[in-house]
Amino acid sequence: MERPVTGARDRIDTSTAHSARVYDYILGGKDHYLVDAEAGDAMCRHWPALPVHMKENRRFMHRAGRYLARERGVRQFLDIGAGLPTPPNLHEVVQEVAPEAHVVYVDNDPIVLAHARALLNSSPEGATAYVDADMLDPDAILGSPEFRALLDLGEPVGLMIIGILHFIPEPDDRHLVRRLLDPLPPGSYLAMTIGTADFAPEEVGRVAEEYAQQNMPMVLRDLPTATSFFDGMELVEPGVTQVHKWRPGPEQDGIDDAAIAMYGAVARKL
């Protein structure tokens, strides 16, 4: 299932930095503009560990998706704030385990829409779709034809909210997460990463100031606040922890805690 990308590039604002494009630049991608590179360079001057932090945030998504597909039998996923396609994308990870898996990607950045076909290269047995919508408008996501066509709400869904919550202010953050969880059946899972300044407060604080100057204000949360997003759910071990410590593999060996400014967790809806 494909969504037309006609006119997507006409909507791209190249005069201001965008979080998805800054992320792409810092990770060594090619889908960004000079304004994004300048913002990314400024952030890395404030905190040279930022590329490590961003890579580990994405690796958490890979491990969480693989865990849900392999160990919990989840066969359908809703990925909020999908970002620019950077292999392996979520569908590539979960369809390696379960080729029949369905993945619905959601983002509101026109440059992501322009590259959405890379997110639609599903296995023959499975399916993927892209929804051009904003997390701030959950009804547009839940009411989209793609959501209704690909996700069976009689079966568990893996809701992935990765690397986006720190751009959602209070009190909208809790309402939006719950609004996306509410229609999902019991036995569904929430995998989420949550920005924090607990481990490198000065450096991460300066990065947050740089984001704010680029009209991308951030909300950084401590551990009790991050944990409270999973209230009423059953946390998967090891609970809420820095993303590089959640079921780590060899790639996480030797990573300094001060290089990671993101909590991550996976929890089951009861």
Side-chain angles (χ1 to χ4, degrees), residues 42-149:
M43 292 168 191
C44 289
R45 285 194 295 272
H46 292 310
W47 190 35
L50 186 57
V52 175
H53 158 83
M54 288 185 169
K55 287 177 183 177
E56 288 307 313
N57 179 68
R58 188 159 183 85
R59 285 171 173 169
F60 168 87
M61 183 270 286
H62 294 158
R63 296 196 305 280
R66 190 175 296 111
Y67 167 81
L68 291 177
R70 178 176 293 152
E71 299 190 34
R72 297 299 175 105
V74 176
R75 296 295 181 263
Q76 44 187 7
F77 295 82
L78 178 61
D79 186 359
I80 305 296
L84 285 156
T86 304
N89 295 294
L90 178 63
H91 73 280
E92 294 165 317
V93 171
V94 301
Q95 288 179 350
E96 183 178 354
V97 176
E100 71 277 19
H102 288 191
V103 177
V104 175
Y105 292 104
V106 179
D107 210 299
N108 71 326
D109 182 6
I111 197 170
V112 179
L113 175 59
H115 290 270
R117 287 195 179 93
L119 298 173
L120 301 173
N121 187 23
S122 172
S123 66
E125 302 92 335
T128 63
Y130 179 86
V131 178
D132 183 22
D134 195 321
M135 183 179 175
L136 296 174
D137 187 4
D139 290 339
I141 298 169
L142 300 172
S144 67
E146 295 86 352
F147 179 92
R148 296 196 303 267

Side-chain angles (χ1 to χ4, degrees), residues 135 137-140 142-143 159 172-184:
M135 183 179 175
D137 187 4
D139 290 339
L142 300 172
L159 173 60
D172 293 341
D173 48 3
R174 296 178 188 281
H175 165 73
L176 293 169
V177 172
R178 287 295 161 183
R179 180 70 186 92
L180 291 167
L181 268 174
D182 282 347
L184 306 185

Side-chain angles (χ1 to χ4, degrees), residues 15 18 87 96 101 123 129 141 156 168 187 195 219 242 248 251 259:
S15 65
H18 188 282
E96 183 178 354
S123 66
I141 298 169
I168 307 297
V219 180
Q242 284 177 285
E251 292 176 321

Side-chain angles (χ1 to χ4, degrees), residues 19 52 165 196 220 253:
S19 59
V52 175
L165 195 67
T196 184
L220 299 168
D253 289 346

